[in-house]
Amino acid sequence: MSTQMMTTQAARIGRLKGEILKHVMPIEVLGKFGEKKPMPRNSSETVLYRRWLPKGATVNTPNTWNVQPAAHQLSEGETPTAETVIAQDIQATLVEYGFIYRWSNRVEDLYEDDVPTEVKRLTGERMGLLLEMIRYGQLRAGTNVFRAGNVASRSLIIALVSVNLLRNVARSLAVNLAQKITSILSASTGIGTQPIEAAFVAVVHSDMEADLRAQLTGFVHISEYGNRQAMHECELGSWESFRFITSPHTAPYLSAGGTTTLNTRLANGVANATGAEAVDVYPMIVLSQGAFGDVALRGKGAMNVNMIPAGQATKDDILGQRGMIGASTYFTCVRLNEGQMAVVETACSYLP
């Protein structure tokens, strides 16, 4: 007696998910560095991350040790008092996101381009960018902020990235016991990791490339790595404890800074031509191992995808005049340790 198995007929939906996930992967920058929390179906809308605090730490000061040698001295014949450890739970709630594309049967049958295939590609890229923007919004709101020029507020920023600015960031991360990132998500659609050389990862807008290379003495461009392996296709290079990855999607705060000498900074995306314009402020997201977490958009349960080709009759489209594709997922992103990440805010040079 024959039995219909999963392999008897190729699964159209399974294949479609795989195609879309492959288009999601190149969009990920921030998404490759978070602590992944796959969410089983029918479990909860709440994601819970837990960390165990060191001796002497509290939930308000989680990045400290208080180990006094005198308190650890043993008395002859006496067993020391037993202690317990404290856990800190960080909770985040899943949010449902989704969208739909639709096209007519005439487009599918008569148009010169293969629109359904392009729509599938765009669906994957849009989903990847949507979740990347959620991550960026959460991470740039971090509270461990360093401003170029050591000014008191974003509205006063006119200075560029500098050696001392980033060295102060590295010092802060070290004091908060931040661990350098040693592994990232692999390029596959599964939730696998690959090892990398230990470093703090700084994600910056692509506009910042010239400033990083010009302002950081000793900056090593990726073309000079030799046998050293790049951690991401958009990696720009490294300097001291940092490795820089650029993304055109980590947008600046437009016209949010101060005013400075004309034609020296970007303001609203162009030169500050009069010197009276408020300059744009660019956030740089600096990450250590385990600084933030999110739900992984990978694997067979990552998202719900459905496609109905034009020509397929349904109760709502009896003549099959419309084709549609829809994608949805549950997602959240949460900062897990404010002291073990940083937001660096700087101006950006205008290049005449």
Side-chain angles (χ1 to χ4, degrees):
M1 180 182 295
S2 63
T3 302
Q4 185 76 21
M5 306 292 286
M6 283 293 293
T7 56
T8 304
Q9 182 67 41
R12 290 175 297 168
I13 296 301
R15 183 182 302 164
L16 179 61
K17 274 190 184 178
E19 291 174 5
I20 289 178
L21 283 170
K22 287 179 182 178
H23 288 298
V24 169
M25 297 308 108
I27 300 295
E28 284 190 327
V29 177
L30 294 168
K32 293 178 74 72
F33 301 103
E35 292 292 308
K36 300 305 173 186
K37 191 84 170 179
M39 195 67 177
R41 185 177 293 274
N42 299 329
S43 53
S44 174
E45 66 174 4
T46 300
V47 180
L48 198 65
Y49 290 86
R50 170 170 289 180
R51 68 165 170 254
W52 296 92
L53 301 180
K55 168 67 176 175
T58 69
V59 294
N60 294 320
T61 57
N63 303 325
T64 59
W65 279 90
N66 185 5
V67 178
Q68 301 298 328
H72 291 72
Q73 291 182 2
L74 299 180
S75 299
E76 184 178 359
E78 295 185 13
T79 303
T81 302
E83 301 177 68
T84 59
V85 292
I86 300 172
Q88 180 181 11
D89 289 337
I90 300 171
Q91 182 175 301
T93 301
L94 291 169
V95 178
E96 188 174 15
Y97 299 92
F99 53 88
I100 294 173
Y101 284 116
R102 186 169 68 181
W103 59 92
S104 72
N105 63 323
R106 293 191 182 188
V107 166
E108 187 162 329
D109 294 339
L110 304 175
Y111 194 70
E112 59 184 312
D113 296 321
D114 186 355
V115 171
T117 296
E118 291 303 314
V119 169
K120 284 192 291 184
R121 177 183 61 82
L122 291 171
T123 296
E125 293 178 358
R126 180 173 172 180
M127 182 62 79
L129 182 56
L130 168 63
L131 302 194
E132 188 75 354
M133 291 300 93
I134 296 169
R135 295 182 185 106
Y136 181 51
Q138 286 292 323
L139 295 177
R140 75 175 183 174
T143 59
N144 192 24
V145 181
F146 295 79
R147 298 187 176 97
N150 198 29
V151 295
S153 67
R154 183 180 300 148
S155 63
L156 299 174
I157 292 174
I158 58 173
L160 304 175
V161 65
S162 69
V163 165
N164 283 346
L165 177 63
L166 291 185
R167 283 177 177 164
N168 278 323
V169 173
R171 180 180 293 178
S172 171
L173 295 176
V175 167
N176 281 284
L177 310 179
Q179 297 180 359
K180 294 178 180 178
I181 293 177
T182 57
S183 65
I184 60 172
L185 277 180
S186 65
S188 70
T189 57
I191 312 177
T193 60
Q194 64 186 52
I196 61 169
E197 180 182 336
F200 297 125
V201 173
V203 179
V204 301
H205 193 277
S206 49
D207 286 350
M208 291 285 293
E209 176 176 346
D211 284 346
L212 292 172
R213 299 179 73 165
Q215 301 298 322
L216 302 180
T217 303
F219 182 88
V220 179
H221 189 261
I222 190 172
S223 62
E224 303 173 67
Y225 277 6
N227 293 329
R228 189 177 180 189
Q229 185 177 3
M231 67 169 65
H232 192 281
E233 63 185 51
C234 295
E235 183 172 354
L236 175 64
S238 62
W239 177 82
E240 295 193 357
S241 300
F242 301 91
R243 294 179 73 169
F244 298 92
I245 298 176
T246 61
S247 169
H249 304 302
T250 52
Y253 297 104
L254 295 177
S255 304
T259 59
T260 189
T261 307
L262 59 86
N263 292 325
T264 59
R265 301 288 186 270
L266 290 178
N268 201 27
V270 296
N272 61 329
T274 69
E277 303 92 339
V279 305
D280 300 335
V281 176
Y282 284 74
M284 177 189 303
I285 310 299
V286 181
L287 300 171
S288 67
Q289 194 79 46
F292 79 98
D294 66 28
V295 178
L297 183 68
R298 292 168 180 245
K300 63 180 181 180
M303 61 179 166
N304 180 41
V305 184
N306 289 289
M307 182 173 180
I308 300 174
Q312 181 172 315
T314 68
K315 66 182 182 65
D316 297 316
D317 183 17
I318 194 64
L319 296 179
Q321 293 177 290
R322 295 181 295 276
M324 301 178 70
I325 186 171
S328 64
T329 191
Y330 291 94
F331 186 75
T332 192
C333 176
V334 60
R335 300 188 303 275
L336 298 176
N337 196 315
E338 297 283 5
Q340 294 183 358
M341 63 166 288
V343 182
V344 182
E345 296 184 341
T346 75
C348 184
S349 293
Y350 165 65
L351 302 177

